[in-house]
Amino acid sequence: MDESVNKMFEKTIHVLQDQREYLAYIRAEQADLDYKAQIKYATDKGREEEKIKIAIKLKKLDYPLKEIAKITGMPVKEIKKL
C-alpha cells in the first residue's frame, strides 16, 4: 500500500508542477498582452493629440472646417470646439 501511495503522491506533485507551469505561462501571456495594449493606447493617444494640434493650426489659418475634417479625420463638431 505504501508503494501505491508514493506513486499517487508523485503523480500529484507532477500535476501540480504542470499546473504551476501552466499558470506561469498564462500570467506571462497576460502580461505581454497588457504591455502591448498599453503601447497601442499610448500610440493611439499620441496620434489623437497630433490630430488635434494639426486641426488647431489649420483652424487658426482659417481653413474651412470640412477641409480640416477631411485632413484630420475628426468630426466637424469636435473641430468647432477647438
Side-chain angles (χ1 to χ4, degrees), residues 10-75:
E10 287 175 16
K11 285 183 180 181
T12 303
I13 288 182
H14 181 70
V15 168
L16 289 174
Q17 287 173 342
D18 287 347
Q19 286 178 344
R20 286 186 193 126
E21 289 175 10
Y22 176 72
L23 288 174
Y25 171 78
I26 294 297
R27 287 184 185 122
E29 283 292 310
Q30 187 61 49
D32 187 50
L33 289 173
D34 289 345
Y35 174 75
K36 288 176 181 175
Q38 290 171 351
I39 296 297
K40 184 179 180 334
Y41 173 78
T43 302
D44 291 347
K45 186 172 182 174
R47 288 182 183 146
E48 192 63 32
E49 289 173 359
E50 277 301 308
K51 283 183 187 181
I52 292 169
K53 287 178 186 177
I54 291 168
I56 290 170
K57 286 178 184 179
L58 293 173
K59 193 173 175 186
K60 286 180 182 178
L61 294 171
D62 293 326
Y63 269 74
L65 296 180
K66 287 183 180 180
E67 290 298 315
I68 298 172
K70 285 180 188 177
I71 293 168
T72 61
M74 294 174 63

Side-chain angles (χ1 to χ4, degrees), residues 67-82:
E67 290 298 315
I68 298 172
K70 285 180 188 177
I71 293 168
T72 61
M74 294 174 63
V76 173
K77 283 184 179 182
E78 284 186 34
I79 296 167
K80 286 180 182 179
K81 294 177 186 177
L82 300 176

